[in-house]
Amino acid sequence: MDTDGQCWRRMRAFDVRMEPPDLFQSRMIGDLEEADVHVFHDLMYAERSRHGRLIWLADCSRLGDLDPGARRTVGQRDFGHLFWAVIIHGANFRQRVLVTMMFHAARLLSRDKDRKDLQLHFVPDEAAGLCLVEELRLAAMPPPRNSEVRPVTHASSHPSRRGTRVVS
């Protein structure tokens, strides 16, 4: 599905898009069934194997309900190793409560270190989610090496001065 000038693919009850290097976006549409959860997990697993751990930006503004089979499958499938951050926008109060409870239960019960550092964020809209993606990426960048921390701000023509260099 091609909307707003970007390449979205329709996958059962949701649209998805992968934005390299690490952003997986989805738009949930309508009620989710058990088969939707299986397809969604398999798709995310394939993207993770191509791109590494992902940030998932999920639009839940048009999400309906999860049938009992879908809820059970969400609990059984291991989504924690796929992402290092989940950002949700458009979720109603009930959805936020359910997601938060499932998220914390999964973190408490997991022995997987990747799940321990998984972050969950709720934001008001997609624009705020994209801003948060950039903030998370910057925060996850490794610290610069010492040589990169001290850029040359004052150049001296005197070659014997320590810590300076000649600039012509």
Side-chain angles (χ1 to χ4, degrees), residues 6-145:
Q6 300 172 5
C7 184
W8 288 88
R9 292 184 309 179
R10 170 67 73 168
M11 302 293 292
R12 294 191 51 100
F14 43 88
D15 296 334
V16 295
R17 171 175 77 184
M18 182 67 208
E19 185 178 309
D22 59 358
L23 180 61
F24 183 84
Q25 291 183 275
S26 67
R27 294 176 177 163
M28 311 296 183
I29 304 167
D31 297 340
L32 294 183
E33 299 172 358
E34 184 176 356
D36 297 319
V37 176
H38 287 294
V39 168
F40 198 62
H41 182 271
D42 294 344
L43 174 66
M44 290 186 286
Y45 188 81
E47 293 298 341
R48 186 207 190 269
S49 62
R50 280 189 218 111
H51 300 282
R53 279 183 80 202
L54 304 168
I55 299 172
W56 179 18
L57 179 60
D59 178 357
C60 295
S61 60
R62 294 180 281 172
L63 175 62
D65 197 17
L66 274 76
D67 75 5
R71 291 179 194 178
R72 185 174 46 257
T73 303
V74 167
Q76 293 170 346
R77 288 290 185 126
D78 186 10
F79 285 86
H81 71 282
L82 300 173
F83 305 104
W84 61 276
V86 176
I87 304 167
I88 298 174
H89 66 91
N92 63 36
F93 179 75
R94 180 175 176 255
Q95 292 165 340
R96 290 192 310 266
V97 168
L98 288 172
V99 167
T100 302
M101 287 181 355
M102 288 174 49
F103 175 80
H104 288 294
R107 284 182 74 189
L108 288 172
L109 298 173
S110 177
R111 293 184 194 147
D112 184 1
K113 75 171 187 69
D114 285 345
R115 232 192 221 175
K116 300 290 185 191
D117 66 353
L118 178 64
Q119 301 177 38
L120 175 65
H121 303 275
F122 293 97
V123 294
D125 55 26
E126 185 176 8
L130 292 171
C131 288
L132 183 56
V133 166
E134 292 306 316
E135 289 175 27
L136 293 172
R137 285 176 176 163
L138 286 173
M141 290 177 67
R145 296 187 313 249

Side-chain angles (χ1 to χ4, degrees), residues 147-156 163-167:
S147 63
E148 295 171 345
V149 172
R150 295 178 287 155
V152 175
T153 57
H154 173 71
S156 170
T164 62
R165 64 179 183 176
V166 177
V167 177

